[in-house]
Amino acid sequence: MLMTHAQPGSDGCVVPPEVITALKDLYIVSSALAQRGAYAQDIRDAQWRTMAQRAQEAKTALDQHGESLETRAIVLLRQMTNVCQGLVNRHAARQEIPFAVWREVGRLGHDAYEWVNLTAPRRRGTDA
């Protein structure tokens, strides 16, 4: 059976492609910002806007699928969305972002990266 709309996750549950895409997009952006933030480097406004956009896209994917599924991908996406939205809100309020928060964003990004890579070999054939 060829799966074109959803992929099984490492926990055996089927994960909708919107969740996989949102998880991948959010971890890429958040990891880049976490690296800059952890080293107290400037983060451009465009990067913050991209993070806000990816967090909104993740929220949309969660709204569509988060209630019906409770997979590792959904849990990771929910955690990342909450933390990233918190970062965006802190930035908008011009609040300092502690190193521990950046470290948590980096940890979640690492977890998401590992999860996506566990499912990626099964997806490569459908991405062409």
Side-chain angles (χ1 to χ4, degrees), residues 50-69:
T50 301
M51 171 93 99
Q53 179 181 353
R54 296 298 181 261
Q56 183 57 47
E57 291 166 358
K59 185 178 179 326
T60 300
L62 287 169
D63 289 346
Q64 291 174 344
H65 303 289
E67 296 294 321
S68 60
L69 297 172

Side-chain angles (χ1 to χ4, degrees), residues 20-38:
I20 295 169
T21 299
L23 184 59
K24 186 187 296 186
D25 290 349
L26 190 56
Y27 92 69
I28 289 170
V29 171
S30 66
S31 294
L33 266 65
Q35 288 178 0
R36 297 189 66 80

Side-chain angles (χ1 to χ4, degrees), residues 8-87:
S10 58
D11 51 9
C13 296
V14 174
V15 180
E18 299 86 10
V19 170
I20 295 169
T21 299
L23 184 59
K24 186 187 296 186
D25 290 349
L26 190 56
Y27 92 69
I28 289 170
V29 171
S30 66
S31 294
L33 266 65
Q35 288 178 0
R36 297 189 66 80
Y39 291 102
Q41 296 176 340
D42 282 340
I43 299 172
R44 296 182 310 238
D45 287 340
Q47 292 170 306
W48 283 111
R49 284 192 300 274
T50 301
M51 171 93 99
Q53 179 181 353
R54 296 298 181 261
Q56 183 57 47
E57 291 166 358
K59 185 178 179 326
T60 300
L62 287 169
D63 289 346
Q64 291 174 344
H65 303 289
E67 296 294 321
S68 60
L69 297 172
E70 194 59 31
T71 66
R72 178 70 178 138
I74 294 285
V75 170
L76 278 170
L77 186 58
R78 188 176 297 120
Q79 290 172 336
M80 289 191 68
T81 302
N82 290 337
V83 170
C84 290
Q85 190 58 57
L87 284 172

